[in-house]
Amino acid sequence: MRITVFGASGRTGWRVVGQALEAGHEVTAVVRDPAALERHGLRGPRLTVVRADVMDPAAIGPAVAGRDAVVSAIGPRGRGPTTVCADATASIIEAMTAEEVRRLVVVSASGFVREGDGPLTRLVAKPILNRVLRHAFADMRHMEELVRASGLDWTIVRPPQLTEGPRTGAYRSAVDRNVRGGVRVSRADLADCVLRCLDERGPLHAALAIGD
């Protein structure tokens, strides 16, 4: 496939790029700092690195034109008020619509969702987590609303706490509900899940939670 990855130099994004290249895909990585991918050893004839402002639909249009799928691994930084996920996603959706590209996978979070959680997580852990990360979660909720209303062929991937562990492929998943007891997953496995969603064409119009 020909895949465009936004947030490609982030801690999850560069893993998506690397695994996509390993699988034989052609990847366009949209970044603010091209040198960031070089530091991870990502290069080669099937990788095109583009420096562009993700908030400008016209600027990113050429990066999505003619692609089979788009991945957004853009996430908030810090715990203060933010709209980066929603604003970036709105721009990506506008660019995809203009270029008639339909397949979109976005990385969100399972922290603000309680369906599927056990009692301890739902009644004790999640209220605390939602107070601490209320701004980031509000941004991601808005992002998900935009994705659902986009008219595209979308999948939302919701990981729990992310670790720097290895790629195992042994994670569990659940559609439109959290994985009970799945409190963490590696960023490498998150990248694996994102690419599986593209390879397997689904689940479409659904949120896929993953966990250990």
Side-chain angles (χ1 to χ4, degrees), residues 2-39:
R2 294 164 296 175
I3 304 170
T4 295
V5 181
F6 290 93
S9 60
R11 288 185 291 174
T12 296
W14 74 261
R15 290 175 166 90
V16 173
V17 172
Q19 292 182 27
L21 292 173
E22 289 174 9
H25 301 304
E26 296 179 15
V27 181
T28 299
V30 182
V31 298
R32 289 177 296 178
D33 178 15
L37 290 180
E38 286 283 339
R39 289 194 289 271

Side-chain angles (χ1 to χ4, degrees), residues 6-183:
F6 290 93
S9 60
R11 288 185 291 174
T12 296
W14 74 261
R15 290 175 166 90
V16 173
V17 172
Q19 292 182 27
L21 292 173
E22 289 174 9
H25 301 304
E26 296 179 15
V27 181
T28 299
V30 182
V31 298
R32 289 177 296 178
D33 178 15
L37 290 180
E38 286 283 339
R39 289 194 289 271
H40 293 294
L42 297 174
R43 59 180 68 86
R46 285 182 285 104
L47 174 63
T48 301
V49 181
V50 175
R51 178 184 287 172
D53 180 4
V54 69
M55 302 301 179
D56 182 352
I60 62 175
V64 304
R67 303 316 192 270
D68 299 305
V70 173
V71 172
S72 175
I74 294 171
R77 295 183 178 181
R79 295 181 179 177
T82 179
T83 60
V84 65
C85 291
D87 292 346
T89 300
S91 178
I92 291 167
I93 290 170
E94 183 175 339
M96 290 179 65
T97 301
E99 298 296 340
E100 299 183 342
V101 177
R102 295 199 53 78
R103 186 70 175 107
L104 173 65
V105 177
V106 300
V107 176
S108 185
S110 66
F112 58 85
V113 179
R114 301 190 187 187
E115 291 85 355
D117 289 335
L120 183 62
T121 300
R122 187 173 63 253
L123 300 176
V124 179
K126 284 292 177 74
I128 296 172
L129 187 64
N130 276 266
R131 284 197 298 272
V132 174
L133 299 177
R134 63 188 181 278
H135 297 300
F137 285 169
D139 186 22
M140 289 183 178
R141 284 192 189 94
H142 188 196
M143 175 189 72
E144 290 197 7
E145 291 170 358
L146 294 172
V147 171
R148 292 176 186 278
S150 67
L152 301 175
D153 296 331
W154 54 268
T155 303
I156 296 166
V157 179
R158 292 173 174 163
Q161 179 184 355
L162 291 168
T163 74
E164 302 301 315
R167 179 184 186 183
T168 69
Y171 51 87
R172 296 176 292 148
S173 63
V175 176
D176 290 330
R177 59 192 295 110
N178 287 336
V179 176
R180 187 159 182 166
V183 297

